[in-house]
């Protein structure tokens, strides 16, 4: 599903050149659950943004679903992204002026679902996430755990092949964090590829592989024992 060759990302200002990613070579197969760990500033979120087609690398190759996408335009990236990738963020990124239903419905508008199909699909996902009873509430009326359930609902409503999660438990207590991790695990067991950035060693172990970054490099990759062959 994903392959990178000597991927680099450099940020330039008038005075400073910062190398966020330096010769990153990774491969992720369909159906994997991969955790990415490392200290703050090591390039985790930058890597996730590049893998999620939110940003282009400065150099190197990035193959996503057999497309070499490193030089894609924003329009090309957006088209590929909206049909294949869902995002879950630490800060939820819900729209305060929209209800729970409307927040979850939003990706389906971009995918040009009909009104009838949108309603059916949103209701299915809200039921799946046990948040249907909050469909007409606004984000600020929800707890942090409920907001993250809505964010996950929005990420999966379009049936993406891959979900990218950037510190999805970072703003949650342990109980709600465990709930979100169990949701991601069930999605992975159903066939969705999950790539998750986390600072938590405990949550990283939910993945079948852990990639450690340091100063923009991949320094180690650990396969969880039960997934080794």
């Amino acid at each position: 599903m994903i392959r990178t060759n000597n991927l680099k990302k450099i940020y330039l200002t008038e005075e400073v050149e910062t190398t966020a990613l330096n010769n990153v070579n990774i491969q992720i197969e369909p159906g994997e659950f991969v955790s990415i760990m490392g200290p703050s500033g090591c390039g985790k979120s930058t890597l996730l943004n590049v893998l999620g087609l939110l940003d282009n690398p400065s150099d190197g190759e990035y193959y996503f679903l057999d497309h070499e996408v490193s030089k894609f335009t924003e329009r090309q990236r957006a088209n590929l992204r909206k049909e294949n990738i869902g995002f879950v963020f630490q800060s939820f990124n819900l729209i305060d002026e929209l209800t729970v239903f409307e927040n979850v419905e939003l990706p389906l508008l971009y995918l040009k679902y009909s009104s009838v199909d949108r309603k059916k699909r949103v209701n299915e996902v809200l039921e799946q996430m046990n948040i249907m009873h909050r469909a007409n509430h606004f984000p600020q009326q929800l707890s942090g755990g409920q907001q993250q359930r809505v964010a996950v609902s929005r990420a999966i409503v379009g049936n993406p092949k891959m979900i990218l999660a950037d510190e999805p438990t970072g703003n949650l207590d342990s109980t709600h964090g465990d709930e979100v991790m169990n949701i991601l695990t069930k999605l992975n067991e159903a066939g969705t590829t999950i790539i998750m950035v986390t600072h938590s060693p405990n949550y990283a172990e939910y993945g079948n592989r852990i990639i450690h970054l340091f100063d923009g490099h991949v320094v180690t990759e650990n396969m969880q024992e039960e997934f080794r062959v």
Side-chain angles (χ1 to χ4, degrees):
M1 174 173 270
I2 280 176
R3 177 165 59 90
T4 70
N5 295 325
N6 296 323
L7 204 66
K8 293 184 179 182
K9 183 63 182 179
I10 299 171
Y11 294 103
L12 298 172
T13 66
E14 292 183 0
E15 299 178 354
V16 179
E17 177 179 300
T18 302
T19 301
L21 299 174
N22 194 359
N23 292 326
V24 171
N25 296 284
I26 60 173
Q27 186 160 327
I28 297 174
E29 301 297 334
E32 279 199 275
F33 189 147
V34 177
S35 301
I36 300 175
M37 297 194 71
S40 296
C42 72
K44 302 186 300 297
S45 292
T46 299
L47 178 58
L48 212 65
N49 286 340
V50 172
L51 297 182
L53 304 173
L54 295 171
D55 200 0
N56 271 342
S58 303
D59 199 6
E61 298 174 325
Y62 173 28
Y63 292 88
F64 177 66
L65 297 176
D66 296 325
H67 299 279
E68 208 292 283
V69 299
S70 61
K71 301 298 188 295
F72 268 27
T73 65
E74 170 54 32
R75 180 183 293 273
Q76 289 173 312
R77 293 201 311 269
N79 287 336
L80 196 58
R81 184 172 63 233
K82 70 183 181 181
E83 295 175 359
N84 296 286
I85 304 174
F87 295 89
V88 181
F89 301 97
Q90 176 179 347
S91 57
F92 315 135
N93 284 13
L94 301 175
I95 299 173
D96 289 340
E97 294 76 20
L98 300 182
T99 65
V100 165
F101 185 98
E102 291 166 340
N103 267 281
V104 176
E105 180 187 33
L106 202 55
L108 302 183
L109 293 171
Y110 294 122
L111 292 170
K112 298 182 172 18
Y113 277 56
S114 70
S115 176
V116 172
D117 289 342
R118 290 199 307 271
K119 183 176 181 179
K120 178 182 178 182
R121 178 59 184 156
V122 172
N123 286 339
E124 287 174 351
V125 171
L126 293 179
E127 289 283 3
Q128 180 183 350
M129 293 293 110
N130 295 319
I131 199 73
M132 186 67 190
H133 62 294
R134 298 290 193 181
N136 294 318
H137 287 69
F138 291 92
Q140 296 305 313
Q141 297 174 301
L142 308 179
S143 69
Q146 288 171 333
Q147 288 188 61
Q148 195 60 296
R149 282 179 176 271
V150 177
V152 173
S153 300
R154 183 184 56 190
I156 69 172
V157 71
N159 291 310
K161 295 180 176 67
M162 178 171 74
I163 290 178
L164 302 183
D166 193 355
E167 294 284 0
T169 62
N171 284 335
L172 304 176
D173 59 33
S174 59
T175 299
H176 289 120
D178 291 346
E179 287 179 2
V180 169
M181 292 308 306
N182 289 331
I183 290 168
L184 293 177
T185 299
K186 289 178 181 178
L187 292 170
N188 178 246
E189 290 171 349
T192 305
T193 304
I194 309 286
I195 304 175
M196 178 184 70
V197 162
T198 182
H199 279 103
S200 167
N202 291 333
Y203 290 146
E205 292 181 1
Y206 279 75
N208 58 282
R209 183 154 54 105
I210 303 175
I211 295 174
H212 294 267
L213 290 183
F214 186 78
D215 285 348
H217 296 274
V218 175
V219 289
T220 60
E221 289 192 48
N222 302 328
M223 184 73 75
Q224 299 293 78
E225 193 68 42
E226 63 267 31
F227 290 94
R228 291 178 181 153
V229 293

